[in-house]
Amino acid sequence: MAARTLNGNSIRDEIYSELAGEIAALRGAGICPGLAAVLVGENPASKIYVTSKIAASEKLGLAGFNLTPPDTITTSDLLRLVHDLNRRDDVDGILVQLPLPPQVDVKKILEAVDPAKDVDGFHPLNVGRLVAGRPNLVPCTPAGVMEIFRRSGIALEGARAAVLGRSDIVGKPLALLLMHANATVTVCHSKTRDLPDVVRRADIVVAAMGRAAMVTPDYIRPGATVIDVGINRIADPAQAEKYFANFPERLAAFRAKGTALVGDVHPDVANVAGALTPVPGGVGPLTIAMLMSNTVRAARLRRGSRAPVAAVQPR
């Protein structure tokens, strides 16, 4: 039996529907949540990401601000820009698109963002609140994965979960969220011994290693829930033949385009897992949805009693 598909697009649409009502209520109270994106330079992938984020915010009725300083900017000049956004009352959320140019001190920039406007959840104060079990603004991809679990009826309490990857953006915060949900969590990485054996014990597997199709069926216990966070573009026909040998439609699509997106999970895992997120159309749409959710949450928290209580949706 093929795995149940955990459709990120459908879950995103549910969240957007809820947020639209919440944003309308806020606007009715004279509050227009605003999201400012800082895109340094001309990185093509970053431009695509930021454009999609601003487009989503404007579609939902948020105010979107796109700031594009040149890639020659210094740390001190970028700090001044961030501090200006911190002071602006029409900006509730600030995201600084990574990567930044090599001459910029990334840690200084991320730590300069007002924690109350840190919709990426990267500021040490927000990280500390997450560690302490009192999350405020949570990194978007891990928050999106938790929404997939919640809205798909995946039980976490008492479940054994394996998180493959220990990045500050996905692996670590997701492990904390799973622990707070009473899962028993193993964090795996490139130095983990007997990795397939470790992962195969898990009821829930989250792959966030950044390696195309690394997680093969022998990693997965039959019936496990598998969340694929990876997004990898392949252009090698030999790789495509290997990955899509049992998926002729995907192989035909690769041959027509010359490229394809694959996750960190091999497509054949669909024949072993009980539930699986696709790539594309799985975790990706939830990352932007949770950025929108964080912006609305930041607006409510910043405005306090001015924000209409009736607009708050249960999380």
Side-chain angles (χ1 to χ4, degrees), residues 46 58 68 86 127 180 205 224 299:
S46 293
E58 292 175 346
T68 56
N86 286 341
V127 174
H180 295 324
V205 177

Coordinates of all heavy atoms in Angstrom, one line a residue, residues 46 58 68 86 127 180 205 224 299:
S46 N 17.2 33.7 -3.4 CA 16.7 34.6 -2.4 C 15.6 35.5 -2.9 O 14.6 35.7 -2.2 CB 17.8 35.4 -1.7 OG 18.7 34.5 -1.0
E58 N 0.7 40.2 0.9 CA -0.3 41.1 0.3 C -1.6 40.4 -0.1 O -2.6 41.1 0.0 CB 0.4 41.8 -0.9 CG 1.6 42.7 -0.5 CD 2.3 43.2 -1.7 OE1 2.1 42.7 -2.9 OE2 3.1 44.2 -1.5
T68 N 15.8 46.4 -0.4 CA 16.8 45.7 -1.2 C 18.1 46.5 -1.2 O 18.5 47.0 -2.2 CB 16.3 45.5 -2.6 OG1 15.9 46.8 -3.2 CG2 15.1 44.6 -2.7
N86 N 13.0 48.4 13.4 CA 12.6 48.1 14.8 C 11.7 49.3 15.3 O 10.8 49.0 16.1 CB 13.8 47.9 15.7 CG 14.5 46.6 15.5 OD1 13.9 45.7 15.0 ND2 15.7 46.5 16.0
V127 N 14.7 31.9 20.9 CA 15.2 30.5 21.0 C 15.2 30.0 22.4 O 14.8 28.9 22.7 CB 16.7 30.4 20.4 CG1 17.3 29.0 20.7 CG2 16.7 30.7 18.9
H180 N 8.3 18.9 23.6 CA 7.3 19.6 24.3 C 5.9 19.0 24.1 O 5.0 19.1 24.9 CB 7.2 21.1 23.9 CG 8.4 21.9 24.4 ND1 9.1 21.6 25.5 CD2 9.1 22.9 23.8 CE1 10.2 22.4 25.6 NE2 10.2 23.2 24.6
V205 N 9.6 10.1 11.4 CA 11.0 10.4 10.9 C 10.9 11.8 10.2 O 10.0 12.0 9.3 CB 11.5 9.4 9.9 CG1 12.8 9.8 9.3 CG2 11.6 8.0 10.6
A224 N 5.5 4.0 9.4 CA 6.0 5.2 10.0 C 5.5 6.5 9.2 O 5.3 6.4 8.0 CB 7.5 5.2 10.1
A299 N 1.8 41.0 15.5 CA 1.0 42.2 15.5 C 0.1 42.2 16.7 O -0.1 43.3 17.4 CB 0.2 42.3 14.2

